[in-house]
Amino acid sequence: MNLDLSAGAARLTAELVDIESVSGGEGTLADAIEQALAAFGHLSVTRNGHAIVARTGLGRPERVVLAGHIDTVPVAGNLPSKPDGDLLYGCGTSDMKSGVAVQLSLAARVSEPVRDVTYVFYDCEEVESDRNGLLRLARTMPDLLTGDFAVLLEPTGGVVEGGCQGTLRADVRAAGERAHSARAWMGRNAIHEAAGILDVLRGYSARRPEVDGLTFREGLNAVGIRGGVAGNVIPDECVVTVNYRFAPDRSAEQAAEHVREVFDGWAVTIVDVAGGARPGLRHPAAASFIAAMGGVPRAKLGWTDVARFDALGIPAVNYGPGEPLLAHTKGEHVSLAAIASCESRMLSWLGG
Amino acid sequence: MNLDLSAGAARLTAELVDIESVSGGEGTLADAIEQALAAFGHLSVTRNGHAIVARTGLGRPERVVLAGHIDTVPVAGNLPSKPDGDLLYGCGTSDMKSGVAVQLSLAARVSEPVRDVTYVFYDCEEVESDRNGLLRLARTMPDLLTGDFAVLLEPTGGVVEGGCQGTLRADVRAAGERAHSARAWMGRNAIHEAAGILDVLRGYSARRPEVDGLTFREGLNAVGIRGGVAGNVIPDECVVTVNYRFAPDRSAEQAAEHVREVFDGWAVTIVDVAGGARPGLRHPAAASFIAAMGGVPRAKLGWTDVARFDALGIPAVNYGPGEPLLAHTKGEHVSLAAIASCESRMLSWLGG
């Protein structure tokens, strides 16, 4: 399977989409990418599982990282790709083979970038975190990922989205005492008690802090509730699972502390937490990137893999041609003009 | 397996307990009961599945029904029975082979009762309602169950418990709108909305109506709650399952109407409902029964099979030697003196 990296990112997107690569099954696409990149003498290429890292080595004072995942969610009858005027339909068009196509096209075309570039193509972003290819690279070969600034080419509709919010899940427990429901006053109903937890959630005022010039918007919400023993029993436990989305001016530890404070008096168990990422837009490489892409950057509210760069001390933003609201939908598509625009702006930023 | 019905109910209880009869496996015990009763010329005996009905036919102006189930919950390492002074330990001692022993002993000893008597022994009371042997008899041979007054020899600790409360379960639904939990304000959180349902429950004032001279005590309680789509999704539905225990001055229809009124504005689905039973203590046969048993009768708050007699137009009470709080426990036991006292009072009531 030969990829034609010279045709431009818009045409290359269709080629990438037509090589099915549902998470765990990225082998064929990874082989094609590795083979295509190996043809270019200005790149040194490293393969790790189904991930590929290609680097220029020009000794420039700055190094930037362009990263994207090559896997997709399961196909929903939407392969092979179908063009319709300016639009290209198919699984992975927006999330995020159009971004990967931009990476590949730049890697092929810009042999002498003004900044050294590390192109990262990785596997298993759409599944559980411990299979994530970028996490694996960060753990096993962190030197390959070093840089001054990183761009994750996830779908953002062509707007720079800086950093990302962290996410924490916690179980908040209301306790009671069992009794037969015909003699309810012999016990204490934990589900009724849990109304107090919901009252806290309803009364919660979420912060909207400014971090590195971007306004984030936090949220604290129930995402699950469960309680009940049997149809004739007053239940002795009710558990509310809450999700706290926190701005990157708070660490994971501070977020956990905050949730414990908010639910003071209830039993709180932190289920999982992933810290966010500061936008880092004040870094010179970031500032030049913002200027080259145009538009007004906004804060990224969802958690993304930019947090993995933040954990390595590398400021990172999200920027890609795909449309975030189309990700994971059967009717997923992308605008060919948006791909070309993204490619041309990044080309000029790299001095190609 | 020969049962000795002449030894008195206390000794007979141990014999019955030692014939294992977990719901669905009552065959051996039913055979033994049928065979033992067939020896008495003053009884006409009918077998239906694992249920047995034995009737006197003396043409008395009144007929009373004495009923009990012969099945038990699963054995918990507590067979065979073990005597310890006045106590007999074992599966089914309290619930309710001691009551069944009283029935059998009376059936054998009282050949010319002052009231005609129908003795009912039935299967599958401890399992789902549609397998219940009394319900099967009521549907297929209702003539066998006719009478002016019924006593169910369920464990009541030797106190007459009149009638029973009805029970209704309903699902009350809060609706919302899904959104990504990083952008919660794009949706509406159904779990947060459900706090309103819990507020109704917490503020509910339960009735304590007097019915036929007994004070009942109603209750409306959550017995289950569920909601949640995924850890990163604002949920669009939360369902609270409520259990309404209602006094027998309300019909099943009135109970359902009441629950709909209480949760006006929410979507309410009635899951199941079983009407209660009026105590019927003003009936002459009931009044003489109360006088003969002594003590102050109280209202039965839980639902029992007396409601099946109520549905046939027969007033019914619960009265038996077992201890209700011991039912279904590994350490289940019964007092032999309590069995003898129950037997002797009922013997005198029947004029034996």
Side-chain angles (χ1 to χ4, degrees), chain A residues 165 169 180-185 189 191-192 194-196 198-199 201-202 217 220-235 238 243 245 301-302, chain B residues 165 169 180-185 189 191-192 194-196 198-199 201-202 217 220-235 238 243 245 301-302:
Chain A
Q165 292 196 130
R169 278 186 307 156
H180 193 286
S181 64
R183 291 176 291 276
W185 59 92
N189 195 317
I191 296 176
H192 296 197
L198 301 185
D199 287 345
L201 289 168
R202 287 200 290 185
R217 185 165 176 178
L220 179 64
N221 277 277
V223 292
I225 190 167
R226 60 184 190 276
V229 176
N232 60 349
V233 176
I234 299 299
C238 182
N243 181 217
R245 299 284 178 156
L301 302 182
Chain B
Q165 293 197 130
R169 279 187 307 156
H180 193 286
S181 65
R183 291 176 292 275
W185 60 92
N189 195 317
I191 295 176
H192 295 198
L198 301 185
D199 287 346
L201 289 168
R202 288 199 290 184
R217 185 165 177 180
L220 179 64
N221 277 277
V223 290
I225 190 167
R226 60 184 190 277
V229 177
N232 61 349
V233 176
I234 299 300
C238 181
N243 181 217
R245 299 287 178 154
L301 302 182

Side-chain angles (χ1 to χ4, degrees), chain A residues 162-178:
Chain A
C164 80
Q165 292 196 130
T167 180
L168 175 151
R169 278 186 307 156
D171 282 348
V172 186
R173 274 187 173 69
E177 212 175 315
R178 287 194 196 187

Side-chain angles (χ1 to χ4, degrees), chain A residues 44-320:
Chain A
S44 55
V45 178
T46 306
R47 171 84 178 242
N48 173 285
H50 294 332
I52 294 122
V53 180
R55 295 159 52 97
T56 63
L58 300 165
R60 304 286 194 230
E62 277 184 0
R63 174 175 290 278
V64 297
V65 182
L66 304 186
H69 64 85
I70 64 173
D71 62 319
T72 69
V73 294
V75 180
N78 50 358
L79 281 188
S81 62
K82 281 187 195 152
D84 181 7
D86 174 54
L87 303 180
L88 179 72
Y89 284 81
C91 179
T93 45
S94 258
D95 187 12
M96 57 167 280
K97 289 184 173 174
S98 49
V100 171
V102 170
Q103 291 175 259
L104 285 171
S105 186
L106 294 172
R109 291 173 68 177
V110 192
S111 57
E112 295 201 347
V114 294
R115 303 169 167 85
D116 268 315
V117 187
T118 302
Y119 300 94
V120 180
F121 306 88
Y122 64 98
D123 53 305
C124 285
E125 192 271 347
E126 298 288 7
V127 288
E128 59 273 24
S129 173
D130 58 4
R131 294 172 61 192
N132 185 291
L134 188 59
L135 177 63
R136 186 180 70 244
L137 289 172
R139 283 180 179 160
T140 58
M141 14 182 71
D143 290 352
L144 271 188
L145 298 183
T146 54
D148 300 288
F149 175 62
V151 179
L152 199 62
L153 283 92
E154 285 275 8
T156 67
V159 176
V160 177
E161 293 188 332
C164 80
Q165 292 196 130
T167 180
L168 175 151
R169 278 186 307 156
D171 282 348
V172 186
R173 274 187 173 69
E177 212 175 315
R178 287 194 196 187
H180 193 286
S181 64
R183 291 176 291 276
W185 59 92
M186 307 279 285
R188 197 157 44 84
N189 195 317
I191 296 176
H192 296 197
E193 299 275 327
I197 298 171
L198 301 185
D199 287 345
V200 169
L201 289 168
R202 287 200 290 185
Y204 184 78
S205 254
R207 295 194 312 147
R208 299 193 189 189
E210 196 181 298
V211 184
D212 294 356
L214 297 185
T215 303
F216 286 83
R217 185 165 176 178
E218 296 197 335
L220 179 64
N221 277 277
V223 292
I225 190 167
R226 60 184 190 276
V229 176
N232 60 349
V233 176
I234 299 299
D236 57 353
E237 185 176 82
C238 182
V239 180
V240 183
T241 303
V242 302
N243 181 217
Y244 177 40
R245 299 284 178 156
F246 55 97
D249 60 339
R250 276 191 174 155
S251 68
E253 294 69 31
Q254 288 169 330
E257 192 184 342
H258 175 67
V259 168
R260 290 187 194 284
E261 273 172 20
V262 167
F263 294 106
D264 188 29
W266 304 94
V268 174
T269 309
I270 306 296
V271 177
D272 53 29
V273 55
R278 296 185 72 102
L281 298 185
R282 291 187 179 127
H283 189 279
S288 79
F289 180 77
I290 304 292
M293 298 309 122
V296 179
R298 65 184 173 215
K300 182 72 179 179
L301 302 182
W303 192 92
T304 77
D305 272 344
V306 295
R308 304 199 193 279
F309 287 107
D310 189 81
L312 294 170
I314 308 170
V317 301
N318 304 273
Y319 175 77

Side-chain angles (χ1 to χ4, degrees), chain B residues 119-136:
Chain B
Y119 300 95
V120 180
F121 306 88
Y122 64 98
D123 53 305
C124 286
E125 192 271 348
E126 299 288 9
V127 288
E128 58 274 25
S129 174
D130 58 4
R131 293 172 62 192
N132 185 291
L134 188 59
L135 177 63
R136 186 181 68 246

